[in-house]
Each structure stands twice: as structure tokens, then as C-alpha cells.
Amino acid sequence: MPRQTRELTTLRFDGLRFEGAWLDVDVLPDLVAYKDLIIETAKELWRRDNPSRTRLPAHFDAVAIKFREIRAGSTIIPLVREVSDEIVPQLPFEINVDNDHFDTAAAIIEESIDAAARDIPLPDLLPRSVIPLFDRFGKTLREGEAICAQARTRDKEVRYTEAVRSRITAWLTEIYEDLIDKTGEIRMADIDGRNFILRINDGSKIPGKFV
């Protein structure tokens, strides 16, 4: 099946383990976690822009995020999106090749990382329902290591460390520490990370933690 690729972002693994462009297989879960962050953020942005629609377009399930090279200079991984050419013509108003929900998602995630690094509030554009997913991203990092990210639409990279990850997840706990009663449907559960997302009757989603 013919495919087209679009540049998304570049991840740079920084630390002694990654010198000489070596990629430790232990960090592969971080790549999967980053992909989940991108896709779930893009989905929430689409829902925010299309409040009257209940079903996501097919291209969200068709998107693959891949890399085929590791560049020297720490360990630099250029990530691209691979989308079926059969899908793109069917959705001319929902996919913008210059900047769409996936590109916006990458930029918002990096703005959030930058905000956490500077200890300022997270951007309002970041969907609160995806914040629990940061708990899995960067979980393999050791002391002194970082994942540096630079989306195609941004001029400079941001540095994601264990301290930044902890600050984001702690922020979530502080915001949602009050007791509330809500009835809805569990849409995502991370048993190991003790996180879940509850979708209530009005369609909005609320992140929470198992206790």
C-alpha cells in the first residue's frame, strides 16, 4: 500500500548511555509512551474543535509514527508520521499537510514540558485528560539523562527530565486532590501507573488515580 511520510518531531536522548548514537533498548517504552501522548492529545484537540461530532475520523487509527535512522550527537531519532495515501484524499478538510492536530499536539506537549521545566502553569491548550500519560513517558530515564524534543513547528528543543516528569504528574495530583462524586465510563486505565480516565455523561473526560 502506498504511503506518504510527514516529519513530526525529533527526539534526542541525552546522557552517558547514549553517547556514540547508541540506543539502549530499555528506553523503547518511552518511544511508545510518546506516541500515545501525541495520538491521545491530537484526538482531544479534534474533539475540542468538533464538539458536535461523536466519532473520530478514520485517519487517527491509521497514523503510524516511525523512525528509520539514529543520528550521531547523543542519540537523535527523527520521527515521521506515515499515513496511507488512500486515506488522505478522502479527508481534504480534516488533514492539513502543513499543520494539523498531530503537529499541534507535538507543539503543545513541548510547551507543557517547557512550562514544567520553568515551574509555571501548564498551557491551557493541553487537554487535562492526557496528563496521566506523562507518567509513562520518561520513566526509564536515569539520573543526569534527558529526552530533548523539537517538533517540526518549533524553533528550539525542550528538555524532559525525571524532575520535569515528576512536576507534571505532581501538578495533576494537586489539582484533583479534592473528593468528588462522578458517574461515568472508564475509557482508559493504567493499572501499573494507578491512573484512569473517566468519561462522564456530557462527553468530557476526567483523569484520576486509583487509591
Side-chain angles (χ1 to χ4, degrees), residues 1-6 80-85 88 95 97:
M1 180 182 297
R3 297 275 180 173
Q4 71 172 28
T5 60
R6 299 174 186 166
V80 299
R81 294 163 43 200
E82 188 178 79
V83 184
S84 170
D85 286 342
V88 175
I95 291 185
V97 297

